[in-house]
């Protein structure tokens, strides 16, 4: 589709002549097999019965990416929410992280109560006087960690069988099978639209 649009634009600007060889309708659609419908794939998750051992192994790793992954798991956050987190979003006194609407997938503000361990991770990383716009999880150069940093950490741990986003599923399974919270409360914890 992109090649077709580029060639159409080139023709419109006079850079080329003739038919568009990348045209889909009435041309390539007659020559190429139909595209399969996209199937919804699920992110590979860790069984919640294995989370305690995994968290112990993760705690032994000193990297900032390890703390980011640990925090992401503890808060059931999305990768981008964690990596874009600033000190201005954190109320350490109330143990509350408020993710602004502009950084949320659903476009609404999301408040995340912080567990004792999640708060401890923030205390460990917190500079003496952090600026509100300063990133919490950042590289040694002060830049935002790559969105692949936690995925690469899993790979270095030999865990190609799970994904970072899959920990949200782990949380969902744990909450649904071992707690008495309603489905709606669990979905709200995951910042899903109810």
């Amino acid at each position: 589709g992109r090649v077709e649009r580029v060639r159409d634009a080139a023709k419109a600007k006079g850079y080329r002549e003739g038919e568009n060889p990348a045209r889909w309708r009435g041309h390539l659609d007659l020559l190429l097999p139909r595209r399969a419908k996209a199937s919804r794939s699920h992110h590979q998750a860790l069984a919640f019965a294995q989370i305690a051992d995994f968290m112990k192994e993760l705690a032994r790793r000193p990297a900032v990416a390890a703390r980011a992954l640990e925090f992401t798991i503890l808060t059931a956050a999305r990768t981008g929410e964690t990596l874009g987190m600033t000190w201005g979003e954190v109320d350490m006194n109330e143990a509350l992280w408020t993710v602004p609407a502009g950084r949320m997938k659903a476009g609404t503000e999301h408040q995340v109560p912080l567990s004792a361990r999640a708060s401890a991770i923030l205390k460990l990383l917190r500079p003496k006087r952090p600026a509100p716009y300063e990133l919490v999880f950042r590289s040694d150069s002060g830049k935002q960690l790559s969105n692949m940093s936690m995925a690469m950490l899993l790979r270095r741990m030999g865990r190609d069988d799970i994904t970072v986003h899959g920990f949200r599923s782990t949380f969902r399974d744990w909450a649904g099978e071992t707690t008495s919270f309603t489905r709606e409360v669990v979905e709200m914890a995951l910042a899903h639209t109810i």
Side-chain angles (χ1 to χ4, degrees), residues 21-130:
R23 190 180 77 241
W24 180 255
R25 183 167 290 161
H27 182 63
L28 292 178
D29 65 338
L30 302 173
L31 302 172
L32 299 173
R34 287 181 174 240
R35 291 188 305 194
K37 288 190 177 186
S39 63
R40 189 174 188 150
S41 64
H42 295 278
H43 298 277
Q44 295 170 297
L46 184 70
F48 67 83
Q50 299 172 9
I51 196 74
D53 290 336
F54 178 85
M55 295 299 274
K56 286 176 191 170
E57 181 182 351
L58 185 60
R60 290 192 292 269
R61 296 193 169 253
V64 174
R67 296 300 67 77
L69 179 56
E70 186 178 4
F71 186 85
T72 301
I73 294 167
L74 291 168
T75 59
R78 293 179 180 90
T79 300
E81 294 163 11
T82 298
L83 297 180
M85 180 183 188
T86 64
W87 288 109
E89 298 173 3
V90 180
D91 183 335
M92 294 298 284
N93 295 328
E94 295 294 321
L96 187 69
W97 172 29
T98 303
V99 188
R103 290 201 325 100
M104 292 299 299
K105 182 178 178 181
T108 57
E109 179 180 278
H110 182 57
Q111 293 189 330
V112 183
L114 301 173
S115 66
R117 178 59 188 156
S119 292
I121 291 168
L122 296 180
K123 287 175 187 169
L124 175 74
L125 297 173
R126 191 171 195 263
K128 286 190 187 244
R129 289 189 178 93

